[in-house]
Amino acid sequence: MAKFLSELTGAQRDFIARQKVFFVASAPRAGRVNLSPKGMETLRILSPRCVAYLDATGSGNETAAHLAENGRMTVMFCAFEGAPLILRLYGRGRAVRPRDGDWTSVRPLFGPLLPGERQLIVAEIESVQTSCGFAVPFFDYRGERGQLIEWAEKKGPDGVAAYWADKNTQSIDGLPTGLLAP
């Protein structure tokens, strides 16, 4: 049975810290729903009611476009080992970029520069939902993929900026993402 809370508990924060993958969902008022897997240990819990993740360059920039339009997002974690659990964070998000004032206070929480990093996504939690996860299969974690970092390093800052200009300034539905070249 699903259970709702207004903020993360200590046990839920511990669960999140152990996860190697999480999923982010967002949608425009009209258009495609986006659901993206994330990894690389890029998520941080800022408070019991706020999480953020360091967003690396990708083939699109849907989440930023959707958040600029309506702010709605869901972050989901599910247990692939141990006790079954699905944990969803429903809330309002925003993209934070190096040109934004709070970049300098939040970005240091994510450690060294990640090649190709383009923004932080900060989510203010409105509700936390847990559900059973009984149907989620077991999977073994074997490690992170290195291709994204290698791709960004090979492109270099100018190549990544050119990629952003070509692929990351509009969503697939034509919404602006707010991303500018660095």
Side-chain angles (χ1 to χ4, degrees):
M1 172 174 248
K3 179 179 176 183
F4 284 92
L5 301 168
S6 61
E7 63 182 36
L8 291 166
T9 66
Q12 291 165 344
R13 293 193 313 241
D14 292 344
F15 172 74
I16 289 170
R18 293 190 307 270
Q19 301 315 299
K20 300 298 185 187
V21 65
F22 61 99
F23 303 86
V24 176
S26 62
R29 288 182 192 94
R32 295 170 181 90
V33 174
N34 185 62
L35 176 61
S36 294
K38 305 291 181 184
M40 299 170 38
E41 297 187 29
T42 55
L43 186 119
R44 301 291 183 272
I45 299 169
L46 305 183
S47 77
R49 296 193 58 125
C50 186
V51 297
Y53 68 90
L54 182 61
D55 189 45
T57 298
S59 57
N61 198 4
E62 303 307 297
T63 302
H66 299 164
L67 297 181
E69 186 200 47
N70 63 47
R72 297 178 312 131
M73 69 181 296
T74 301
V75 180
M76 186 190 83
F77 306 86
C78 57
F80 293 112
E81 61 184 23
L85 176 65
I86 297 172
L87 177 68
R88 292 180 182 90
L89 311 178
Y90 298 100
R92 297 275 200 210
R94 61 191 170 87
V96 176
R97 300 183 182 94
R99 68 179 184 264
D100 298 326
D102 45 353
W103 176 266
T104 57
S105 63
V106 180
R107 175 57 188 87
L109 302 173
F110 294 85
L113 178 71
L114 178 68
E117 67 183 45
R118 64 182 170 191
Q119 59 207 349
L120 299 169
I121 301 296
V122 178
E124 300 293 335
I125 299 168
E126 295 174 340
S127 63
V128 176
Q129 180 202 30
T130 60
S131 57
C132 69
F134 291 167
V136 175
F138 289 105
F139 281 101
D140 294 323
Y141 176 73
R142 294 190 347 216
E144 298 290 339
R145 297 177 191 263
Q147 289 96 331
L148 185 61
I149 303 260
E150 293 164 7
W151 173 87
E153 288 174 338
K154 184 177 176 182
K155 284 245 181 235
D158 291 340
V160 169
Y163 183 86
W164 288 354
D166 185 42
K167 305 279 188 189
N168 284 180
T169 59
Q170 286 191 343
S171 74
I172 56 177
D173 294 314
L175 296 172
T177 66
L179 185 66
L180 306 173

